[in-house]
Amino acid sequence: MSTEHRPLKSYVIVGGGTAGWISAAVLSHTLQNTGVSITLVESPDIPTVGVGEATIPSFVDLLSFLNISKQDFITKTNATFKLAIKFVDWHQQGQDYWHPFGKIGSKIDGKEFYQHWLKSNIHGGKFALTDFSPAIAMAKENRFFIPDPKNPNNLSSSAYALHFDAGLAAKFLAEYAQAKGVKLIKAHVHDVEQHEDGRIKSLNLNNVQQITSDFFIDCSGQRSLLMQKTLRVGFDDWQHYLPVNSAAVMQTEKMSILAPYTESTAHENGWRWRIPLQNRTGNGFVFSQDFCSDQQAIDLLTSTVTEKPINDPKIMRFTTGKSKRFWYKNCLSVGLSSGFLEPLESTGIHLIMKGILNFVQMLPDHNLADVTQNEYNRLMDAEYDSIRDFIVLHYCVSKRNDSAFWKMWQHTAIPDSLQNKLALFKSQGRLMRNDLDLFASDSWYAVLEGMGVTPNSYDPTVDASNFKLIQKILTESETALRNNVQQLMTHDEYITRLLTST
């Protein structure tokens, strides 16, 4: 029986920035020594968005996958560490809570830690859920360390991500990819030619050059030059679920103390982020034009930053939603060309990574099999849907009613999938794990508790455990976490040591 092996021999990536260069880095690393050519076309006159400075722990995994030295990356991108997001004034004004990375507590008698904590809380327990998070114990004290698998302790279940300068990160990855053979062409795509069956045939550039390729990756941002403007696959608009559509952004001088977390503060008509880098602070205010003017947004941002501005605020627009297809014919969309979800949980760079990593796990040949495309699109749909639900959660259960913006959320429809999840949780604190959901149960527990969503009861199987002993375990665990954190270096000290070590 003979088989036909016809691998794709050429890829063209349209667009640079974070999406383009992550795609180029992953593709060149995966296909090195195969003879495949990879070309990236980057317009010299279209600026990158460049505000995606916060990540989640999966980005650290990407660096490991690419065999990139974390120390080298952190040094060259002015990066800091991120243990969590602190949410201020989201549930009600004057209240805050944490969404940590890593685990919260550990199983007791084979049962979920959350259920034991929930029973204790229902009976007057004195601890917040995230008091049992190693990441939060460190974040509250501005301390940091990376767990050593060879020397486990009660902080080992923490996890971390990075804050970094998106422009410097794109430059770093561009150098990485080009060292692996990626060819860079600085030009603007003038128009696109297609085969009779609709596949993309070639790009005509403004330098009169024409580029043909077996496969094209659209990293052209919200313009979505290939996937939407050329192939017209359509877009699922989610503004009825997430109506914010604008952001005012600016940079300020560095914090006097580098916090190892992102801060998200809710305001009358939206929310504000604060992201510490080694050399500066990233700031932004996310809002809806239906409730807030550009000038009001700029005024709020400039009046709330605590460090000296180093540039003028600028306004960005976006449309929340996703492409109806992420992979169609011989084209893949990655990054903003495939969709947008507001940066509340720092998922933008993760979705770029997931888009290209899923693709290299399902690399097609010349047949471009529909079954492969369909499975890829199914996986990416699930990724976007689950993140959308998690973001909507932060809004829809808020008790704030101090403005038309927050009152709107009291009657805004939410996705059925989130409605069902909330109903199940409110019954007995249960979450049925979806393996395609980016956020693990501990993330959902942290935000649900932080936003004041309280179950009516708990899992009755925890009644089999000795309640007094459980109470003792909780008290001792919380004390041990706080004590161990005091032995750690501060976040500033840790970064200084990292930058000066050889």
Side-chain angles (χ1 to χ4, degrees):
M1 179 179 177
S2 63
T3 58
E4 184 182 24
H5 180 59
R6 294 180 63 219
L8 301 176
K9 288 297 185 182
S10 60
Y11 291 84
V12 167
I13 301 168
V14 177
T18 309
W21 287 115
I22 285 180
S23 297
V26 170
L27 210 56
S28 60
H29 175 73
T30 304
L31 295 173
Q32 59 187 331
N33 303 320
T34 63
V36 171
S37 72
I38 304 169
T39 302
L40 187 144
V41 180
E42 184 173 42
S43 176
D45 55 1
I46 297 180
T48 58
V49 174
V51 297
E53 296 168 328
T55 63
I56 59 177
S58 58
F59 185 80
V60 179
D61 297 334
L62 176 70
L63 296 180
S64 297
F65 171 76
L66 296 174
N67 296 323
I68 289 174
S69 160
K70 297 180 186 67
Q71 180 181 15
D72 191 29
F73 183 86
I74 289 167
T75 300
K76 292 179 179 176
T77 63
N78 286 322
T80 61
F81 293 98
K82 176 184 175 183
L83 292 163
I85 303 175
K86 182 179 183 181
F87 288 96
V88 180
D89 294 340
W90 277 84
H91 176 218
Q92 295 185 52
Q93 289 173 285
Q95 296 184 0
D96 61 65
Y97 72 92
W98 297 84
H99 172 201
F101 295 146
K103 298 290 291 180
I104 300 175
S106 55
K107 285 187 175 182
I108 303 175
D109 292 341
K111 302 298 180 185
E112 287 276 355
F113 176 84
Y114 175 75
Q115 288 292 339
H116 287 287
W117 173 86
L118 179 59
K119 178 180 177 180
S120 174
N121 196 53
I122 288 173
H123 288 87
K126 60 180 180 178
F127 298 115
L129 176 64
T130 51
D131 286 344
F132 301 94
S133 159
I136 299 310
M138 288 187 277
K140 286 180 176 178
E141 298 296 325
N142 285 325
R143 297 178 185 271
F144 184 78
F145 95 126
I146 295 177
D148 180 359
K150 296 179 181 177
N151 296 294
N153 60 26
N154 64 346
L155 300 174
S156 296
S157 63
S158 64
Y160 69 95
L162 298 174
H163 304 118
F164 54 71
D165 183 313
L168 293 179
K171 180 183 177 184
F172 183 101
L173 292 167
E175 292 172 357
Y176 172 96
Q178 289 176 86
K180 287 184 175 288
V182 173
K183 179 183 178 183
L184 170 62
I185 296 177
K186 287 278 192 179
H188 183 70
V189 177
H190 189 267
D191 59 60
V192 181
E193 295 188 14
Q194 294 172 265
H195 293 282
E196 289 186 3
D197 63 2
R199 286 179 300 118
I200 295 174
K201 179 181 180 181
S202 61
L203 309 177
N204 294 320
L205 308 182
N206 65 343
N207 61 5
V208 197
Q209 185 178 359
Q210 184 181 67
I211 300 181
T212 61
S213 183
D214 293 335
F215 201 92
F216 294 83
I217 299 177
D218 188 350
C219 298
S220 62
Q222 292 187 91
R223 293 177 299 142
S224 194
L225 178 64
L226 304 183
M227 192 60 79
Q228 297 297 341
K229 288 192 175 180
T230 301
L231 297 177
R232 300 184 180 278
V233 300
F235 187 82
D236 288 332
D237 190 321
W238 282 345
Q239 288 188 98
H240 54 294
Y241 290 134
L242 291 165
V244 296
N245 56 15
S246 304
V249 299
M250 69 182 298
Q251 298 170 8
T252 55
E253 292 182 349
K254 67 173 290 187
M255 294 180 183
S256 56
I257 298 175
L258 291 180
Y261 54 88
T262 301
E263 193 170 284
S264 169
T265 303
H267 288 277
E268 181 182 4
N269 291 309
W271 62 273
R272 175 173 55 88
W273 78 70
R274 189 168 182 241
I275 297 172
L277 303 186
Q278 291 174 35
N279 64 324
R280 63 172 171 82
T281 305
N283 306 274
F285 176 64
V286 179
F287 64 99
S288 167
Q289 289 176 286
D290 292 338
F291 298 92
C292 181
S293 71
D294 292 353
Q295 191 58 51
Q296 285 175 311
I298 289 171
D299 290 345
L300 181 139
L301 185 60
T302 55
S303 67
T304 53
V305 295
T306 54
E307 292 79 31
K308 182 179 178 182
I310 57 178
N311 67 355
D312 294 326
K314 63 179 181 179
I315 298 291
M316 298 166 48
R317 305 285 185 219
F318 49 81
T319 301
T320 301
K322 65 177 176 63
S323 180
K324 288 186 179 295
R325 297 188 187 189
F326 303 91
W327 177 355
Y328 183 57
K329 296 186 182 293
N330 65 336
C331 182
L332 181 80
S333 59
V334 175
L336 292 175
S337 64
S338 65
F340 182 86
L341 291 168
E342 64 183 84
L344 184 59
E345 284 286 351
S346 311
T347 52
I349 291 175
H350 169 82
L351 286 167
I352 291 169
M353 292 163 38
K354 198 70 174 180
I356 193 64
L357 288 169
N358 278 354
F359 179 72
V360 297
Q361 289 183 328
M362 306 173 73
L363 278 177
D365 57 17
H366 268 279
N367 292 324
L368 298 173
D370 287 343
V371 65
T372 307
Q373 294 181 43
N374 292 341
E375 178 62 8
Y376 177 92
N377 288 325
R378 183 187 74 84
L379 293 174
M380 292 305 298
D381 276 335
E383 194 83 24
Y384 270 80
D385 289 351
S386 66
I387 295 172
R388 174 204 64 196
D389 286 4
F390 193 59
I391 293 174
V392 171
L393 169 65
H394 296 65
Y395 289 102
C396 70
V397 294
S398 174
K399 297 295 190 295
R400 289 190 62 152
N401 61 0
D402 53 296
S403 67
F405 175 79
W406 288 106
K407 289 177 180 177
M408 168 198 68
W409 286 102
Q410 297 173 9
H411 54 77
T412 294
I414 66 174
D416 290 344
S417 49
L418 177 58
Q419 191 80 264
N420 293 337
K421 193 154 194 161
L422 280 170
L424 182 63
F425 178 78
K426 288 176 181 178
S427 174
Q428 289 176 291
R430 291 195 175 103
L431 294 171
M432 295 296 105
R433 174 65 183 159
N434 170 10
D435 289 335
L436 296 180
D437 189 340
L438 166 63
F439 293 102
S441 294
D442 280 345
S443 290
W444 281 89
Y445 288 139
V447 175
L448 285 161
E449 286 298 325
M451 293 298 295
V453 183
T454 304
N456 297 321
S457 185
Y458 55 87
D459 183 341
T461 62
V462 300
D463 286 334
S465 296
N466 183 319
F467 185 59
K468 287 186 177 180
L469 180 58
I470 298 300
Q471 297 285 74
K472 183 172 182 287
I473 289 171
L474 294 182
T475 299
E476 291 176 351
S477 296
E478 190 272 343
T479 301
L481 265 184
R482 283 191 290 107
N483 290 341
N484 276 14
V485 163
Q486 296 303 319
Q487 313 306 312
L488 302 177
M489 285 183 281
T490 66
H491 184 218
D492 291 77
E493 290 169 343
Y494 195 97
I495 291 174
T496 299
R497 189 188 71 167
L498 184 76
L499 298 179
T500 56
S501 64
T502 56

